[in-house]
Amino acid sequence: MSELTATTTSIPTGFTSEVFEAFLQTRDEPDWVTDRRRDAFSLFQKLEAEELDPEEWKRVPLRAFRSGKFQLQSEVATPTGLSTLMQDRAEFAGAVIHLDGHCLRQSISDSLQEKGVIFGGLSTVLREHGDVIKPHLATRGVTAETDRFSAWHAAFWTGGTVLYVPRGVTIDEPLYSLISLARDGAADFSHTLVILEDDAEATLLEETSSESETAAGLHVGAVELLLGREARLRYVQLQNWNSKTWHFAHQCGRVESSGSLQWTVGGLGSRLAHIHQDVHLDGRGAEAQVNGVTFATGKQTLSYYTQQTHNAPDTRSDLLYKDVLRDNSRVIWRGMIKVEAAAQQTDGYQRNDSLMLSPTARCDAIPGLEIEADDVRCTHGATAGRVDVDQVFYAMCRGLTEYEAMHMIVQGFFQTVTDRIPVKLVRETLDKAVERKLGIGN
Amino acid sequence: MSVLKITDLHVSVEETPILKGVNLEISQGEIHALMGPNGSGKSTLAYALAGHPKYTITGGSVEIDGTELNELDANERSRLGMFLAFQYPVTIPGVRVADFLRHAVTNVRSPDRKEGEGLMPMREFRKELRDQMEELDMETEFARRYLNEGFSGGEKKRMEILQLAMLRPKFAILDETDSGLDSDAVKVVSEGVNRLCGPGMGVLIITHHERLLEFNKPQFTHVMLAGRIVETGDAQLAHELHANGYTSVRERHPEVAAEETQEEAAAVV
């Protein structure tokens, strides 16, 4: 690693003005991109001095976080063999692999390319298809203005996976995206951008992973899922960093008329994760299903701030998060359904269920509603429970070991959400991840 | 032939002694009835035999064919052939009956199986499960339901008997399997037990009632009072107790009955 830093114009650690200028030197980007970065950086400096919105952040323990310890990587690292859950599991129609903020490789089947599908790393796609993505990139999904983290990301984004599906094109096989970190102290600012034109359909499975169990990491990311009329997207993001990684993300899905978004979030890794997840139903008849499966152990904190915003009539949103907590971990879920005055006849649902495996774990679930329309149905709820000894004893009386019993109980708890996920690979991956977390598999 | 041998068993729950020296020997093929008033320790004996962590054995021993069970957990005991049909079966949401039972059957039939090793072949398992469910007059749709979730009282008890049928233990303890059931359900459960009883299974039926015993006639009836078995007789004893209650038993064992009264007083305080 010392060799690398000695031979390249490396970017210093931290995120100061000097660092920003050094970072720009390593980028070969059109002016409009650089201009946007500069605007975002000014905003970041301003917002960094201001307090974060307490409504969103007051429960999130950021005291130990030191952004100055992390470093954007100017050089591609040499992969040493990532242990990922999905990568080797199936045939994908295309794959994009990022390591330490750089796109290592990208592939897409010829047949999809012929249909006009674009799938690759953001830096490359910007060069080759800048005109296609310029109207969509950070303009109506995740914009710089939201808060310190969105501005930070907009100034420093390093890459990310882009999927563009033209009108009427259906992709049957899933596409795969891996965001990974290797070097100690490395920062990844990846930006996932999915654009489905009218009546397009696709499935994108995305995973985050660390090469080593001990390297500290930082992810300040963004996800934008932009669906046209009658478009259908299944998007899965499985967050599986090591327990030394900080994960901050703004994620936003926007769905036009009669479009349908199924969005599944898996929260397994990281030291602390805070995800601001927004779904906007912009056109009549749009619908979104949001599934969350989280499993926190050790001293992890997993925090989700979810919003389902109904901007148009006859829209439907359905959010179900299932959290399992063990040891001294903490899960925070703050959910909000917003219904604008124009969004009559909408149906909004949100629910969070927690299963506590240890008395020392803590879960905060705070659902909320803001309704401007007068003819809607909105339902919300939250539950928390623990594995009781009688369940374990009952299973053990039938010959299951304590671990098998716990495994079954935890899997059973997740079942109602995994029942909703149509992609078998994802169900199996989640099962496998749960096994690892429980200490059964390897 | 296997023997379950309980010798001078003392059991406490949270420091409170409940069983105070229980002696009982059950051989495969025998049916024993255990009767006694509420609070006499019948369910405690059932839980202690199955290995519930809250029930601490403070003295004496439980053995199957000379292997002591005292220090074994519930899973190890079940693999040695112990089975408890619960009075209040537990719900495990999201876990399908078939998945649960396939794990259970595999473990109990291959006691040395390690976690993660292969399960009983699916076809074979499904066929056996379907056959047993048919015998118990259960809809096949049951196998896909989540374990005991939303089951009626009768369905839960039937589920216990289905597990008994699939696991074919050496020793089965039925803890008030007949309680809370209407007479049709009692009949189904009783017939189920009756079909499963045989030379391969020793049964301990814990009951307040006589109905289960009409179908499954015990060779031995034991009466428990204040944590001890105070009398043992045949099926006629069960009949008498059912008809006349425990007054005459208490009269025959005034010292134990006095202890019972003291405990009640203590419990009230």
Side-chain angles (χ1 to χ4, degrees):
Chain A
M1 200 169 118
S2 55
E3 249 176 278
L4 271 176
T5 46
T7 54
T8 60
T9 51
S10 83
I11 306 164
T13 55
F15 298 90
T16 59
S17 303
E18 296 76 41
V19 173
F20 181 63
E21 293 302 328
F23 170 69
L24 286 183
Q25 290 300 312
T26 67
R27 310 291 301 185
D28 176 21
E29 289 168 342
D31 288 345
W32 66 268
V33 175
T34 310
D35 292 346
R36 283 197 193 173
R37 286 190 187 276
R38 288 196 183 281
D39 291 347
F41 186 68
S42 308
L43 185 62
F44 169 61
Q45 286 183 305
K46 177 173 160 282
L47 292 174
E48 206 185 12
E50 292 175 8
E51 201 197 340
L52 286 161
D53 176 12
E55 182 57 36
E56 177 166 356
W57 289 93
K58 69 180 172 197
R59 294 176 186 83
V60 185
L62 284 178
R63 274 181 305 280
F65 177 59
R66 301 278 177 275
S67 63
K69 285 166 60 182
F70 295 95
Q71 186 176 26
L72 295 158
Q73 305 292 309
S74 57
E75 280 282 300
V76 180
T78 314
T80 56
L82 280 159
S83 151
T84 74
L85 289 164
M86 283 193 277
Q87 191 177 197
D88 309 317
R89 295 282 321 276
E91 284 293 314
F92 298 109
V96 179
I97 312 294
H98 281 84
L99 180 60
D100 284 353
H102 294 269
C103 184
L104 266 188
R105 59 173 193 272
Q106 57 183 63
S107 63
I108 177 176
S109 72
D110 294 342
S111 62
L112 290 184
Q113 223 163 356
E114 280 160 23
K115 288 177 183 160
V117 174
I118 300 168
F119 187 56
L122 177 56
S123 304
T124 317
V125 174
L126 254 187
R127 275 197 300 277
E128 296 172 0
H129 307 280
D131 53 326
V132 177
I133 63 167
K134 185 179 176 184
H136 305 289
L137 177 65
T139 54
R140 57 199 172 100
V142 177
T143 57
E145 291 76 30
T146 313
D147 65 13
R148 180 192 302 175
F149 291 91
S150 60
W152 193 9
H153 171 84
F156 287 99
W157 63 260
T158 50
T161 296
V162 180
L163 169 63
Y164 171 84
V165 187
R167 176 189 294 257
V169 173
T170 295
I171 305 177
D172 294 321
E173 313 82 36
L175 297 155
Y176 176 71
S177 163
L178 172 65
I179 306 166
S180 55
L181 281 167
R183 281 175 285 207
D184 191 30
D188 167 87
F189 279 53
S190 58
H191 192 107
T192 303
L193 176 61
V194 178
I195 305 151
L196 261 54
E197 297 281 16
D198 295 350
D199 196 31
E201 178 168 351
T203 301
L204 175 62
L205 311 180
E206 187 162 62
E207 180 177 19
T208 77
S209 175
S210 308
E211 273 212 344
S212 107
E213 282 304 308
T214 52
L218 171 65
H219 169 85
V220 180
V223 172
E224 297 188 280
L225 312 173
L226 308 171
L227 280 70
R229 301 163 76 90
E230 293 179 46
R232 297 164 301 279
L233 175 67
R234 282 184 292 271
Y235 172 71
V236 177
Q237 193 188 51
L238 188 60
Q239 185 273 100
N240 196 27
W241 301 117
N242 68 14
S243 57
K244 307 277 184 196
T245 300
W246 300 80
H247 178 102
F248 302 99
H250 277 274
Q251 308 187 334
C252 178
R254 300 206 82 112
V255 189
E256 279 300 335
S257 295
S258 305
S260 160
L261 169 63
Q262 188 192 51
W263 187 347
T264 300
V265 171
L268 303 164
S270 81
R271 171 177 177 168
L272 177 146
H274 179 77
I275 287 116
H276 185 120
Q277 185 188 30
D278 282 355
V279 172
H280 287 269
L281 301 167
D282 295 327
R284 182 183 284 271
E287 60 174 36
Q289 186 193 68
V290 182
N291 305 312
V293 171
T294 77
F295 192 165
T297 55
K299 292 178 179 173
Q300 284 184 299
T301 297
L302 302 178
S303 163
Y304 294 85
Y305 190 83
T306 67
Q307 292 191 358
Q308 299 149 256
T309 307
H310 295 255
N311 296 314
D314 300 324
T315 48
R316 213 174 78 82
S317 72
D318 177 357
L319 177 142
L320 174 63
Y321 265 67
K322 294 280 226 178
D323 319 315
V324 174
L325 296 86
R326 202 185 65 196
D327 313 322
N328 296 298
S329 66
R330 189 158 177 206
V331 169
I332 302 150
W333 172 73
R334 175 83 174 93
M336 182 63 75
I337 298 178
K338 287 185 179 174
V339 180
E340 298 298 334
Q344 299 292 7
Q345 296 283 315
T346 63
D347 184 347
Y349 179 76
Q350 59 174 345
R351 183 181 173 98
N352 181 293
D353 295 324
S354 305
L355 180 68
M356 321 292 281
L357 302 186
S358 310
T360 45
R362 173 173 169 179
C363 179
D364 297 53
I366 309 127
L369 302 173
E370 273 179 33
I371 301 173
E372 304 287 336
D374 56 10
D375 182 16
V376 300
R377 194 175 78 161
C378 289
T379 327
H380 63 178
T383 67
R386 60 188 56 186
V387 174
D388 80 72
V389 285
D390 288 326
Q391 284 179 330
V392 176
F393 173 63
Y394 185 81
M396 287 178 74
C397 278
R398 302 300 182 246
L400 275 67
T401 64
E402 191 172 359
Y403 252 144
E404 276 177 323
M406 292 296 275
H407 187 187
M408 278 219 161
I409 291 164
V410 169
Q411 246 171 359
F413 175 74
F414 283 137
Q415 192 67 43
T416 45
V417 72
T418 46
D419 277 348
R420 293 164 42 135
I421 303 169
V423 186
K424 186 164 172 246
L425 172 68
V426 174
R427 286 199 303 269
E428 288 177 0
T429 303
L430 284 170
D431 279 351
K432 188 126 197 130
V434 167
E435 281 179 20
R436 281 194 198 181
K437 274 274 194 177
L438 284 167
I440 297 166
N442 45 50
Chain B
M1 190 182 64
S2 290
V3 178
L4 170 66
K5 192 173 176 197
I6 302 162
T7 314
D8 193 27
L9 188 68
H10 288 68
V11 172
S12 291
V13 180
E14 286 160 0
E15 312 286 309
T16 308
I18 308 287
L19 299 188
K20 299 161 189 166
V22 173
N23 293 289
L24 184 60
E25 201 171 304
I26 301 175
S27 297
Q28 266 178 311
E30 292 175 355
I31 299 178
H32 294 240
L34 181 63
M35 302 182 80
N38 282 333
S40 57
K42 305 185 300 294
S43 284
T44 297
L45 178 63
Y47 279 126
L49 291 177
H52 194 294
K54 252 172 51 187
Y55 294 76
T56 314
I57 297 180
T58 55
S61 70
V62 180
E63 291 169 21
I64 290 179
D65 301 334
T67 303
E68 196 180 274
L69 307 188
N70 292 30
E71 301 297 322
L72 302 183
D73 71 24
N75 147 54
E76 293 165 313
R77 295 183 196 201
S78 79
R79 293 184 198 209
L80 286 172
M82 183 75 89
F83 181 92
L84 169 63
F86 282 60
Q87 185 179 359
Y88 303 107
V90 175
T91 298
I92 308 186
V95 174
R96 294 185 205 287
V97 167
D99 292 337
F100 180 76
L101 267 178
R102 190 164 166 231
H103 272 85
V105 167
T106 308
N107 283 355
V108 168
R109 292 189 195 168
S110 324
D112 299 326
R113 174 179 177 266
K114 300 276 184 295
E115 242 153 84
E117 286 177 12
L119 295 169
M120 179 179 176
M122 186 59 96
R123 278 179 68 122
E124 200 182 314
F125 170 75
R126 276 203 185 130
K127 185 182 179 321
E128 194 177 327
L129 182 62
R130 216 174 21 239
D131 292 349
Q132 293 294 353
M133 289 174 78
E134 226 163 81
E135 292 275 3
L136 285 165
D137 208 9
M138 294 167 88
E139 302 283 337
T140 45
E141 168 267 338
F142 245 81
R144 285 194 300 276
R145 284 175 68 180
Y146 296 144
L147 190 62
N148 291 327
E149 192 170 62
F151 284 25
S152 70
E155 286 171 336
K156 283 184 184 175
K157 296 294 169 77
R158 225 176 273 197
M159 191 62 225
E160 295 295 292
I161 302 306
L162 175 66
Q163 299 189 43
L164 177 67
M166 292 296 290
L167 295 175
R168 289 185 241 126
K170 288 178 184 164
F171 300 100
I173 304 152
L174 309 184
D175 189 6
E176 303 206 17
T177 300
D178 52 357
S179 70
L181 299 185
D182 60 32
S183 47
D184 286 350
V186 170
K187 189 157 175 282
V188 172
V189 165
S190 303
E191 284 170 357
V193 173
N194 185 267
R195 187 170 54 81
L196 297 168
C197 283
M201 194 162 83
V203 187
L204 180 64
I205 298 175
I206 299 174
T207 182
H208 278 299
H209 313 288
E210 213 186 8
R211 294 183 293 182
L212 197 50
L213 303 177
E214 285 167 13
F215 287 89
N216 301 280
K217 196 172 178 213
Q219 288 99 10
F220 306 93
T221 299
H222 310 279
V223 185
M224 197 172 240
L225 207 59
R228 289 181 195 87
I229 289 176
V230 292
E231 280 186 20
T232 293
D234 56 15
Q236 183 57 31
L237 177 58
H239 185 67
E240 272 172 35
L241 293 170
H242 186 245
N244 306 321
Y246 295 98
T247 312
S248 54
V249 177
R250 288 191 177 102
E251 282 167 5
R252 290 197 289 272
H253 305 277
E255 284 151 39
V256 184
E259 216 173 295
E260 191 188 13
T261 317
Q262 277 168 17
E263 275 170 18
E264 268 167 23
V268 170
V269 172

